[in-house]
Amino acid sequence: QPSPNTTYHAHEQDTAAAHPSVVPDMSALMGSSAMASSAARLSPASTPVTNRPSSSAAASGPIRRVAVVRKGTMANAQRARAAGAVGTSALRRVHHRWSDTSRTEAGPLMTVAGGERRGQSIVTTAAAASSVPAQVRGGDTGESAAIINTIKAIFGAGGFALPWAFAQGGTLLVSTCLAFSCVFALEALKMLVKAQDVLVEGKVVAGQSEVQTYAGLTRAAVGPAGDVLCKVLNVVTCFGITVSYLIFVSDTAISMLPKASAAAFTTAKMITITAPLWVALSWLRSFKGVNLISLLGTMSVALGMTWVMVVALSNPLQIAAIPTANPAAFSGFFGTVAFLFFIHFTLFPIQEAMPDPKKFVPAVSKAFYFSMVVSCAFGIIGAFGFGPEVKSVVITMLEGAAGTAVKALLCVNLLFTFPLMARSCLVILEEAARGSAAALSTPLSLGIRSSFVIAAALLACNVPNFGTVLGLVGGVCCCAMTLAMPPVILYKSMKKANVPVEGFQMAKIGLVCATGLVCMVLSVVL
């Protein structure tokens, strides 16, 4: 029986699996750790129920008694009622609210009768318990952790195309694009955060939880059309990333073979051979071990980038062979730049996890500026060291035992992060196929997932290289979600909340939105 002076926190384990965010889980390409840490919250082992006494309970008035309800069963509901937690009608509402979630995953779903939804948690509080997190009262704002997690989200497999991008676009032009992308991405992020505040403070939404995801914020500001747009961009982006994965792993696997054997393989042939493995991975629905995947991904990317620079500096530098600026190559290299900083849809969980959300933008700003410097250094060193013939997957140029080890780690990392990356997209496709039906048959579900991978494999067999795919997906979809949409979201939010849009604010909204649209067009036509 619950103590009458205890605040209960029960983490929601299954809701994200039943109703996944409609924004793409792209962090495996940009940095697997951010995605893996978010997915880890779905694991029963990582979501304990903790009891935390309220420090302000004595001064805040009467405390509401609570009872924990497991999977909304009637037996537990009756016991909870007997314990004096809530009435029958309230328990019925709790059971109805979580019934869909309860039958989705195998792990036990813990809900709290009368709880309030905040992000991915159900929190039942005392009548007037302090709303300030304990970490804030203790002085920990979470800024350091946010900086580290943002850097992890930025750097991933896509970063290994940076030397190729610099060799194509030129050192000065690509460096300038990196700087401008960093600045404009931060401005767009500030707009998203302001839109959250405007909608919450203007009571357009019931609470912060309704705008704590990119999809939720878009839906609240733009309406159903925004929800549909997010889903379309999610499917297109995840499909493009899947194509990139297939090319990256196939090219890297070929480079690991002895030269005599490698000569007999083309990228298309390797994709065809490995396609059944990718199809099987798309069938996975359990994400146990994501913490190990996160660690593996972080280690492999850091080791890979370090070793690429060491090998590049050991080669004769070809500084004169690399152009200063080549605008004609914009459509090829800009997507690689976009994949670094146009990641706002992956940053919302980092914001939610911070004890002091006001430190979110400063933390992300520090991470972005640090990553910009590292990206320029890595790209320029790689371009100078490997010359104009550097491949779009630069690690394929590494040789020796150390190079092979780095390649193997990155391939394994991408293979096991693929199911996480594609999860939300596959669920959207399954929901569309299900329509108004109560459930989707297993054969149809597996057929949808298999068809998705096979279609990506067919396209991958006909794409020139990894960098080209990054250019299209990053330049179009990432620009849309990171530069073009945030100004619209802010404008719509301010209109709904009856907040006046001042002249300077309106000019900034127009500039960022127009920049995003121009980048999208240039990524295709140049």
Side-chain angles (χ1 to χ4, degrees):
Q1 177 172 312
S3 171
N5 61 352
T6 300
T7 298
Y8 280 73
H9 289 244
H11 284 266
E12 173 191 343
Q13 298 174 14
D14 299 320
T15 299
H19 308 285
S21 169
V22 298
V23 297
D25 286 332
M26 295 172 60
S27 305
L29 185 65
M30 297 173 289
S32 62
S33 302
M35 175 178 54
S37 61
S38 177
R41 297 161 62 186
L42 306 180
S43 171
S46 65
T47 54
V49 179
T50 59
N51 303 341
R52 221 169 48 179
S54 172
S55 61
S56 60
S60 60
I63 306 301
R64 180 175 56 189
R65 299 183 66 175
V66 300
V68 176
V69 182
R70 286 183 178 270
K71 290 199 174 185
T73 61
M74 187 53 66
N76 282 330
Q78 292 171 350
R79 284 195 293 272
R81 185 185 179 192
V86 287
T88 304
S89 60
L91 285 168
R92 187 178 296 114
R93 288 196 298 271
V94 172
H95 175 256
H96 173 73
R97 182 177 180 185
W98 298 106
S99 59
D100 289 340
T101 299
S102 300
R103 65 171 178 263
T104 302
E105 293 286 318
L109 172 62
M110 301 295 293
T111 63
V112 180
E116 174 189 358
R117 184 172 184 174
R118 292 181 183 174
Q120 289 185 318
S121 300
I122 307 302
V123 183
T124 301
T125 61
S130 173
S131 61
V132 181
Q135 295 93 326
V136 176
R137 295 195 295 270
D140 180 12
T141 63
E143 185 175 6
S144 298
I147 292 173
I148 294 172
N149 287 329
T150 302
I151 293 173
K152 288 180 179 179
I154 291 172
F155 289 110
F160 289 99
L162 278 171
W164 175 84
F166 273 86
Q168 296 294 311
T171 54
L172 180 61
L173 180 58
V174 177
S175 297
T176 303
C177 286
L178 275 170
F180 272 93
S181 296
C182 179
V183 171
F184 273 84
L186 286 174
E187 285 299 322
L189 181 64
K190 293 174 184 177
M191 291 181 180
L192 292 176
V193 173
K194 184 173 182 179
Q196 286 179 319
D197 295 338
V198 167
L199 291 172
V200 173
E201 293 170 3
K203 300 188 183 302
V204 178
V205 295
Q208 182 73 19
S209 63
E210 293 190 20
V211 293
Q212 196 55 66
T213 64
Y214 190 98
L217 178 59
T218 305
R219 188 183 308 112
V222 184
D227 184 46
V228 173
L229 181 58
C230 276
K231 288 182 178 179
V232 171
L233 289 174
N234 177 17
V235 173
V236 174
T237 303
C238 286
F239 184 79
I241 296 174
T242 302
V243 174
S244 300
Y245 274 31
L246 290 165
I247 297 173
F248 186 99
V249 172
S250 296
D251 285 348
T252 304
I254 292 173
S255 70
M256 295 168 61
L257 298 174
K259 291 185 178 181
S261 301
F265 284 91
T266 62
T267 302
K269 184 177 180 179
M270 183 61 74
I271 290 173
T272 303
I273 293 174
T274 58
L277 174 60
W278 293 97
V279 169
L281 289 171
S282 72
W283 294 353
L284 293 179
R285 296 178 184 272
S286 175
F287 303 111
K288 294 180 180 179
V290 290
N291 288 329
L292 178 60
I293 293 173
S294 172
L295 178 61
L296 175 63
T298 303
M299 290 176 55
S300 60
V301 171
L303 180 61
M305 293 182 70
T306 301
W307 192 246
V308 165
M309 288 192 288
V310 169
V311 174
L313 290 174
S314 67
N315 296 333
L317 299 183
Q318 306 178 50
I319 299 176
I322 304 300
T324 302
N326 181 20
F330 183 87
S331 61
F333 74 77
F334 184 72
T336 301
V337 174
F339 262 118
L340 292 176
F341 301 115
F342 295 177
I343 58 171
H344 295 1
F345 33 81
T346 69
L347 299 179
F348 282 82
I350 297 175
Q351 179 197 36
E352 183 183 6
M354 293 187 70
D356 185 1
K358 292 182 179 179
K359 297 293 185 180
F360 172 64
V361 172
V364 173
S365 299
K366 294 174 183 177
F368 271 38
Y369 290 132
F370 172 80
S371 300
M372 180 185 66
V373 173
V374 173
S375 298
C376 286
F378 176 72
I380 291 174
I381 291 174
F384 285 166
F386 293 104
E389 300 302 321
V390 60
K391 296 182 179 179
S392 60
V393 184
V394 69
I395 63 165
T396 60
M397 304 186 74
L398 301 179
E399 298 179 352
T404 301
V406 170
K407 296 173 187 178
L409 277 173
L410 286 168
C411 286
V412 172
N413 174 46
L414 288 187
L415 281 169
F416 285 98
T417 51
F418 165 69
L420 295 171
M421 180 278 299
R423 174 178 59 85
S424 60
C425 166
L426 294 174
V427 171
I428 288 173
L429 293 175
E430 288 175 336
E431 289 178 348
R434 186 178 70 233
S436 59
L440 193 69
S441 66
T442 299
L444 182 55
S445 172
L446 296 180
I448 290 172
R449 291 170 177 258
S450 301
S451 299
F452 177 84
V453 175
I454 292 172
L458 290 174
L459 181 59
C461 290
N462 295 281
V463 172
N465 58 51
F466 179 67
T468 300
V469 178
L470 290 186
L472 291 174
V473 177
V476 178
C477 294
C478 290
C479 277
M481 300 183 75
T482 302
L483 292 183
M485 289 180 63
V488 176
I489 291 172
L490 175 58
Y491 179 79
K492 291 285 189 180
S493 299
M494 296 178 75
K495 287 294 184 181
K496 281 192 173 184
N498 295 319
V499 176
V501 183
E502 300 175 354
F504 178 72
Q505 182 72 57
M506 189 65 196
K508 189 159 61 172
I509 287 175
L511 176 62
V512 175
C513 184
T515 301
L517 293 174
V518 169
C519 289
M520 290 171 62
V521 173
L522 293 179
S523 297
V524 176
V525 301
L526 284 184

